[in-house]
Structure formats: C-alpha cells, structure tokens
C-alpha cells in the first residue's frame, strides 16, 4: 500500500488506473480505524479494482477546538490495518494541502443540514463535511464512495449534495457495526472510562426499545419515544428524534420506514447513534 500526501500525486496515480479502465472506490475517514471502517474497506475491496482510503481529520467540521485536539490519531496503525485489508492507497494530506492559502469556498446543504447534528454542532459542521467530501470526490472521482449508516444524517446530507451538484459518484451506505453488547463503534469510544462505557449502552438500548415497540405495532411517535427513554438509564439525550430518513422532517406517526436518532454527552465524549424503524403492516379490516 502506498501513502500519498499531495493532490498532484493522487491524480497522477489515478490517471494510470483510469487509462486502464479500472474502477475506483473511495472510503473517506478521519482515521483511528475500527471494525466500522474495516467493513467499508472490505466492501470497497470486493467491489472495486482499486481502493483509496482518505485519512484526514477535517478541522472545518469541528465546532469544538477541544474535540479536535482530543481526536485520536494513529496513522501508523491505520496504515498497517488498511494494508492488511488490501487497500491500494492511503490518501493522508496535511491540512495545508486541503485548505491552502486563499481557500474561501464552502459547500452547504440548506435545511437538512440545519437540524439535529446541524443544530447541535452549528451550521459549520455539515458545511465542513460537505466541503471536504466534495473536494475528495473531485480529487479521486471514485465510481463509488462508501459511508456508514452510523452517521445517518451525514449520509443524507452527502447524498443530497451529490445529487444537487451532479457529482458522478455513487454513494453506498453500509450498516452500523456494533460491539456485541450493542455499543456502536466509534473512534471516540477509546476516551470512555469503564463506567462511562457502561452508561453509553443507554443509547443503543433506547434505540432498540424503539425498534421493538415499532415492530410490535406501535406507530405513535410519542409512545415510541417514551419506550426509548425508559431504556436509556441516566443518559441525558441532546436530542432523540424520529424523522423521515430522506428529508429529516420530524414525524408524528410511523407509517413508513423511519429513523430514530440520538445524541448524548457521556463523560468526555459526545456519542451519536441511530436505527431504522420498520413499521409492521396495518391489520387488514375484515
Ligand atoms: P469517521 O472516521 O468517524 O469520519 O468515519 C468514517 C466512515 O466510517 C464514515 O462513513 C462513518 O459513517 C463510518 N463509520 C464510523 N463508525 C461506524 C460504525 N460503527 N459502523 C459503520 N460505519 C461506521
């Protein structure tokens, strides 16, 4: 596996591949790899001729300087893991390569990017995500870019950006990878103390309770939320929302597949998680 740090070198490497008509997959990441990242890389490896993994801790999407400073960084381990998974290139540019002097352009998605994570982390968060993802898609021009359902709103925002800007890459979304006890894998989990790790299980427990309630036939959002909060222990959610999975409009009744999303501060770490709520068909009147 090769590590590339400049856009010029990345384009040079891709030029040779394209000339041979090979397909390219991109997995955008901020590093500190875990099994969630691995699953995206594995899928890309299976489907594409060449796999590029980008590793860039994007300062533009952090609203909190402390969170950016504390973000785990482990490039040497990441490179070894990516190489083991058959990744061809780790694209790990420095900040000055992505945001050189004179950088003044921002890509933002209205509406969808302003609720939930957008409201909590501020309007700059998804603008930072979109700007860097747009740049990565322009630099690599992948046939397919791979994202995790763990960041459900990010997926919705990126898909909308790609559609609105006619970016010719397919966005493929893979399921959230969890620990056996349900905790969604996150690079931030390493900062949880054992006690906080235990409390953090409240997020997935709450989401699963909502999923079970909907699978049993509950369609009323208030009742589903109540079922979720009852299982969240002392986790104090920043938001617990049930929304349409494409528009992120809040729902009052669950009549079609919906998303329940939660964010909560647990000790030093802000965690997010979500699951799809799949309503059972309404009984047919006889
Ligand atoms: P990050 O490095 O946190 O920016 O994540 C890079 C990619 O991995 C994003 O598309 C995330 O949604 C995805 N990802 C992060 N955690 C998980 C997980 N537990 N399961 C599946 N994908 C994940």
């Amino acid at each position: 596996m090769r590590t590339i740090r400049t856009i010029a070198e990345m384009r040079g490497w891709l030029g040779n591949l394209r000339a041979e008509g090979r397909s390219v997959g991109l997995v955008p990441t901020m590093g500190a790899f875990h099994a969630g990242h691995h699953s995206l890389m594995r899928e890309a490896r299976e489907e594409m001729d060449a796999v590029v993994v980008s590793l860039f801790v994007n300062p533009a999407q952090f609203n909190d300087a402390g969170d950016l400073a504390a973000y785990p960084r482990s490039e040497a381990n990441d490179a070894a893991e990516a190489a083991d998974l058959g990744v061809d290139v780790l694209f790990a540019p420095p900040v000055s390569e992505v945001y050189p002097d004179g950088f003044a352009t921002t890509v933002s998605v209205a509406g969808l990017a302003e609720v939930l994570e957008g409201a909590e982390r501020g309007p700059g968060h998804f603008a930072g995500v979109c700007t860097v993802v747009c740049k990565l898609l322009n630099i690599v021009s992948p046939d397919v870019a791979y994202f995790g359902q763990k960041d459900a709103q990010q997926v919705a925002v990126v898909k909308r950006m790609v559609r609105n800007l006619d970016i010719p890459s397919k966005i493929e979304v893979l399921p959230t990878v969890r620990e056996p006890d349900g905790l969604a894998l996150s690079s931030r989990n390493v900062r949880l103390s054992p006690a906080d790790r235990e409390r953090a299980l409240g997020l997935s427990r709450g989401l699963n309770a909502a999923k079970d309630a909907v699978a049993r036939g509950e369609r009323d959002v208030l009742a589903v939320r109540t079922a979720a909060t009852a299982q969240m222990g002392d986790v104090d959610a920043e938001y617990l929302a049930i929304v349409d999975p494409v528009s992120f409009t809040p729902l009052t009744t669950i009549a079609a597949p919906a998303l329940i999303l939660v964010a909560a501060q647990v000790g030093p770490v802000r965690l997010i998680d979500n699951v799809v709520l799949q309503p059972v068909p309404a009984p047919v009147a006889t």
Side-chain angles (χ1 to χ4, degrees):
M1 191 192 68
R2 188 158 152 185
T3 297
I4 291 182
R5 306 223 179 255
T6 68
I7 295 163
E9 195 189 340
M10 190 68 244
R11 288 223 166 101
W13 187 84
L14 288 160
N16 297 335
L17 277 178
R18 295 273 180 222
E20 295 162 7
R22 290 170 184 259
S23 61
V24 177
L26 170 67
V27 182
T29 82
M30 299 204 299
F33 294 159
H34 52 62
H37 299 108
H38 298 164
S39 87
L40 302 181
M41 294 179 212
R42 273 198 199 96
E43 185 77 3
R45 182 66 287 163
E46 267 174 32
E47 295 180 351
M48 298 286 117
D49 293 325
V51 178
V52 177
V53 171
S54 61
L55 193 177
F56 181 64
V57 183
N58 177 29
Q61 73 190 67
F62 284 80
N63 53 317
D64 172 352
D67 188 28
L68 174 61
Y71 201 83
R73 292 164 204 252
S74 50
E75 188 187 314
N77 284 340
D78 291 347
E81 290 175 22
D84 277 351
L85 289 165
V87 169
D88 298 293
V89 167
L90 188 69
F91 178 50
V95 172
S96 59
E97 180 73 5
V98 179
Y99 301 117
D101 283 349
F103 189 86
T105 301
T106 299
V107 180
S108 63
V109 172
L112 185 57
E114 291 161 16
V115 298
L116 304 182
E117 284 301 281
E120 291 294 333
R121 301 186 67 174
H125 171 63
F126 282 122
V129 170
C130 285
T131 303
V132 83
V133 170
C134 184
K135 282 175 68 84
L136 289 167
L137 294 173
N138 281 336
I139 293 164
V140 178
S141 287
D143 296 274
V144 181
Y146 296 84
F147 289 86
Q149 176 64 22
K150 160 81 174 23
D151 298 279
Q153 194 176 0
Q154 169 171 284
V155 162
V157 169
V158 166
K159 279 186 168 172
R160 184 76 69 89
M161 172 190 75
V162 162
R163 182 147 48 90
N164 288 173
L165 297 183
D166 307 304
I167 297 173
S169 297
K170 182 182 164 218
I171 303 301
E172 191 169 321
V173 183
L174 294 182
T176 302
V177 178
R178 299 178 179 280
E179 302 277 10
D181 60 10
L183 182 69
L185 294 185
S186 163
S187 303
R188 292 185 171 90
N189 290 353
V190 295
R191 296 174 53 215
L192 292 169
S193 68
D196 287 334
R197 164 95 186 45
E198 199 56 37
R199 286 181 60 217
L201 291 176
L203 278 81
S204 54
R205 262 203 322 264
L207 297 180
N208 277 327
K211 186 175 164 183
D212 292 346
V214 173
R216 282 195 306 270
E218 186 57 73
R219 290 176 162 230
D220 178 60
V221 157
L222 278 180
V224 174
R225 277 180 50 98
T226 304
T229 37
Q231 293 302 318
M232 287 176 61
D234 62 352
V235 169
D236 186 15
E238 273 175 20
Y239 60 76
L240 177 68
I242 298 179
V243 302
D244 175 272
V246 176
S247 67
F248 274 62
T249 318
L251 301 172
T252 49
T253 305
I254 302 163
L259 263 183
I260 180 165
L261 306 104
V262 64
Q265 187 76 29
V266 179
V269 186
R270 186 173 177 280
L271 297 173
I272 59 171
D273 198 354
N274 69 90
V275 301
V276 176
L277 302 174
Q278 201 77 49
V280 287
V284 181
T286 49

